DNA sequence: TAGATTTATATCATGCCTCTATATAGGCAG
DNA sequence: CTGCCTATATAGAGGCATGATATAAATCTA
């Protein structure tokens, strides 16, 4: 497929323009949202549970800030999660105002279950591809993994210190 | 190329396990929702607008089926979109029951704007990577593009004819 | 120490988005 | 005309987010 690179390096193996990368990542994102999403709990709920699982008991406001939602939203979310038995709330003896939120065993089990579900759906999807295509995808993922991991880390970091063109 | 599914291939160049591919897609979904999402309209709303843009005026029930939501949900969504001036509703002269939904110019502009926003944010994100990492991502995207496209197509098709392990 | 301020969380009202159950209305077959 | 099927709308409920505001504990300050 032809494509012009504007004053680009004349190397014949130039792989993809930034727009193509953006396009591919968008499609990938669409696929992920459309076919890999569980309907049981919301994205923020799952992300919060994952954070509590990784980082231990946390304050409501800290969770809200980390998840990028308002404090009232997090209060409501935690109330729902508590009702579902996925988290518990413990008063902080040091500070009477704060409430520490912790994930329960049921919460961890839900996370594991969701993970299994996604992996299974993905496996089904991959199974529809030819072995050559599967191989190509696996190779690409393997090659891109370190760079992609850094991209994700940078994205998380950019969230804490907002930059120039935040929408 | 021979390729055994389980009972692990002993080849030294095995590129990525299915778990690694799943992991990468999960992280990507997270990245996409967290950093590439506009807050203006919902995912279903944007997807519906995109469909109307690509495929022209459609019936409510067809939209609902394609987007995987119930008909009442789509009715409400279209009502909201109409209130925002992003779609119009036209009665079908052939069949007094049906309503044809069409995207407006404002709707198309919103889609374009959202796309610009995502591409810009993604470009900012990519710019945080080293040239080597950018190259690695671009190469991987280029290599995986055809296989990935087929994966996306199969996923869309699988939605219409639900298979065995639907969650 | 008393009063003001800040901090952590909760509550309220509102709107989006989805669901299930049901209603309305047009098309069609007998 | 009667009855059924189809396309859309409405009602009621709950999840999920918001901004505005209330409450209570901690902390600063005069």
């Amino acid at each position: 497929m032809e494509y012009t690179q504007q004053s680009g390096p004349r190397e014949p193996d130039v792989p993809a323009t930034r727009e193509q990368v953006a396009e591919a990542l968008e499609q990938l994102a669409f696929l992920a949202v459309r076919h890999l999403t569980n309907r049981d709990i919301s994205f923020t709920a799952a992300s919060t549970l994952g954070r509590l699982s990784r980082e231990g008991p946390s304050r409501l406001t800290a969770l809200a800030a980390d998840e990028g939602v308002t404090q009232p939203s997090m209060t409501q979310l935690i109330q729902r999660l508590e009702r579902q038995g996925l988290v518990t709330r413990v008063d902080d003896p040091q500070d009477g105002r704060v409430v520490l939120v912790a994930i329960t065993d049921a919460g961890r089990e839900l996370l594991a279950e969701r993970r299994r579900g996604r992996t299974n759906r993905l496996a089904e999807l991959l199974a529809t591809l030819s072995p050559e295509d599967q191989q190509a995808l696996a190779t690409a993922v393997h090659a891109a993994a370190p760079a992609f991991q850094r991209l994700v880390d940078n994205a998380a970091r950019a969230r804490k210190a907002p930059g120039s063109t935040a929408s």
Side-chain angles (χ1 to χ4, degrees), chain A:
Chain A
M1 180 175 289
E2 283 297 326
Y3 69 82
T4 53
Q5 165 103 358
Q6 73 180 16
S7 86
R10 272 281 175 268
E11 310 158 52
D13 62 334
V14 56
T17 67
R18 186 160 289 176
E19 282 71 26
Q20 283 176 299
V21 176
E23 176 75 22
L25 284 181
E26 279 184 37
Q27 270 197 307
L28 200 44
F30 194 89
L31 171 85
V33 171
R34 232 8 182 339
H35 299 276
L36 263 43
T37 286
N38 296 63
R39 289 265 203 241
D40 47 5
I41 61 177
S42 73
F43 178 82
T44 304
S47 177
T48 301
L49 275 183
R51 186 177 300 275
L52 290 174
S53 172
R54 290 192 310 275
E55 303 179 4
S58 310
R59 297 179 175 202
L60 253 171
T61 43
L63 287 175
D66 288 343
E67 297 297 329
V69 299
T70 60
Q71 171 264 312
S73 299
M74 186 54 69
T75 292
Q76 277 207 358
L77 172 58
I78 294 302
Q79 286 173 348
R80 283 192 299 270
L81 292 179
E82 191 182 23
R83 226 179 296 138
Q84 296 174 268
L86 303 175
V87 304
T88 53
R89 297 155 36 110
V90 184
D91 291 339
D92 186 341
Q94 312 295 316
D95 188 331
R97 296 167 300 178
V98 321
V99 171
L100 293 177
V101 182
I103 191 172
T104 64
D105 287 346
R108 287 182 205 279
E109 177 48 38
L110 179 70
L111 282 180
E113 171 58 33
R114 282 171 58 89
R115 181 175 212 78
R116 281 193 292 273
R118 282 194 304 270
T119 304
N120 287 343
R121 280 194 294 276
L122 187 59
E124 288 178 29
L125 231 48
L126 286 175
T128 66
L129 290 179
S130 70
E132 294 77 23
D133 278 353
Q134 295 187 33
Q135 189 75 10
L137 274 187
T139 304
V141 164
H142 183 68
F148 181 64
Q149 185 58 56
R150 282 187 281 275
L151 186 75
V152 170
D153 293 346
N154 291 349
R157 205 167 304 118
R159 206 172 182 76
K160 305 216 129 188
S164 46
T165 321
S167 141

